[in-house]
Amino acid sequence: MSLDAAAASLADRLLEQEFVEVLAHHDADGIAAASILCHAMFREGGRFRLRIRPGIATADLPGDGSVLLCDFGSALTDLPGDVMVVDHHLPRFEGDYHVNPHLAGIDGDRNLSAAGAAYLVAQRMGDNRDLAGLALLGIIGDGQALNGPNREIVNEGIANGFIAPRRGLRLPGRGLVEQLSLAVDPYLTGFSGEPDRTRALVAEVTDEDDMDTESLLTRLVLAAAPKASVSALCGIWGTTYSLGREVIDEALNLTAVVDACGKAGNGDIGASLCLRSSHALQEAWEIAARYRQEVVAGIRGAHPLDERVAIFAVDDGGVVSDVADALANDFVQTGPVFVIGRKGDQCSISARCPPGIDLDLEVLMRTVAEACGGQGGGHRLRAGARIAADQADRFRQALLEAIPA
């Protein structure tokens, strides 16, 4: 079935429902995907309940009623066949209402996010072109490329006036000091986690009227270059996007705030922003600042566990995904990166392939996690796992044995 046909089928199914239980992954892509479809249902008179979760298992599904899963569910083989899934992870679910780019031969790792897939469904439910900006959250949040369907969605948003590209610092924050001192994507050695040094730099490159952008960029690059990857240095400045319909206008800012709220356990607040409510906007910014401080601390405190493979441990299992992104993409690496952190009686593991490294992390993490009694999977170049804390040493040893020398 083509992606368009699958989107049309799911759209028809949603429009038939009196009430839908919506469950979404807790990152920016998942929250945006669910919000897009909730907007579309609400506009057509549909009723729903939206809940944000860090993961999903078949046992977690509500007992009665129609269920829609966003940005997870594709990897589950035991889901009931009538569950609706909008996802972009490698598919194993075989239900009839499953929108996933991989099923149409499209690269879901790079060329279409869950939010993008949700946008395609929403267009089949009515005129929801103004939601294109929310689809951009999935592209940014999951580090995807502007290729294939992603490019078509963004171009449509630009053509209709809902997305406006421009050039500037690609660093989320409410001001230059916050942008630099809480930078995690990319991580800026010498400034991330260094507010005093950041304030001194800002004072040197700004005056009452203007900022010396050239001097700022030069100082940032010179400070970060000894440890930073090329992609990190190139990520400081580039294309940003204005979203005229959203409660936070700048796309990188909205993505960062929604993502942080979800991962910090405040997915309801992140979703409220995507549903265009500003009542908790200030609280959302504060949550994002605290979460990004925790990520910076995780990056700075990550310690290697092996000399051959880049396996790191962090104290906070709640930040492993973002720490793994930074260690893999913003530092010079010669192989895949794995970050392990404990949260309660569970351990979370995130795996990333740096630019230029190609290893099927989805298969690797799923296989090793299942051997340790846990669950794993994701994308080819970005994957994760969750295991019992007492299985951490066993997991690490199995991982070392499975990685090619």
Side-chain angles (χ1 to χ4, degrees), residues 212-231:
D212 186 344
T213 302
E214 185 173 313
S215 178
L216 172 66
L217 294 176
T218 300
R219 297 281 295 276
L220 292 176
V221 170
L222 288 175
K227 294 185 178 180
S229 66
V230 172
S231 62

Side-chain angles (χ1 to χ4, degrees), residues 144-325:
Q144 293 200 340
L146 274 180
N147 293 326
N150 280 344
R151 179 177 292 278
E152 294 173 6
I153 292 170
V154 172
N155 284 346
E156 182 177 290
I158 294 171
N160 288 310
F162 303 122
I163 298 174
R166 57 194 180 194
R167 302 287 286 177
L169 281 175
R170 291 182 53 82
L171 303 173
R174 289 168 289 186
L176 192 52
V177 172
E178 186 172 287
Q179 286 177 285
L180 299 179
S181 63
L182 296 182
V184 296
D185 181 21
Y187 180 87
L188 300 176
T189 300
F191 297 101
S192 297
E194 301 283 353
D196 292 338
R197 185 175 178 184
T198 297
R199 290 189 189 95
L201 172 64
V202 171
E204 292 172 9
V205 301
T206 59
D207 56 31
E208 293 182 359
D209 300 318
D210 201 6
M211 177 179 71
D212 186 344
T213 302
E214 185 173 313
S215 178
L216 172 66
L217 294 176
T218 300
R219 297 281 295 276
L220 292 176
V221 170
L222 288 175
K227 294 185 178 180
S229 66
V230 172
S231 62
L233 299 177
C234 293
I236 298 172
W237 179 272
T239 302
T240 65
Y241 300 91
S242 175
L243 309 176
R245 292 295 184 94
E246 308 307 329
V247 296
I248 296 178
D249 178 75
E250 212 288 312
L252 287 164
N253 281 341
L254 182 57
T255 302
V257 172
V258 170
D259 193 70
C261 285
K263 292 174 180 175
N266 301 101
D268 55 338
I269 293 178
S272 74
L273 300 182
C274 291
L275 294 172
R276 297 176 175 166
S277 170
S278 60
H279 79 281
L281 182 57
Q282 186 61 35
E283 182 181 0
W285 271 113
E286 294 302 323
I287 292 169
R290 289 194 299 270
Y291 177 78
R292 291 170 77 81
Q293 288 170 348
E294 293 168 0
V295 174
V296 169
I299 296 168
R300 293 160 68 99
H303 53 279
L305 300 178
D306 188 80
E307 295 181 356
R308 181 176 69 88
V309 178
I311 303 177
F312 297 86
V314 296
D315 294 331
D316 183 357
V319 299
V320 295
S321 176
D322 291 288
V323 171
D325 282 334

Side-chain angles (χ1 to χ4, degrees), residues 1 3 6 74-75 85-92 98-106 108 112 117:
M1 182 184 296
L3 185 62
S74 284
V85 175
V86 176
D87 198 358
H88 66 133
H89 295 89
L90 291 175
R92 303 171 73 192
H98 187 187
V99 178
N100 187 309
H102 290 286
L103 295 174
I106 298 169
L112 190 66

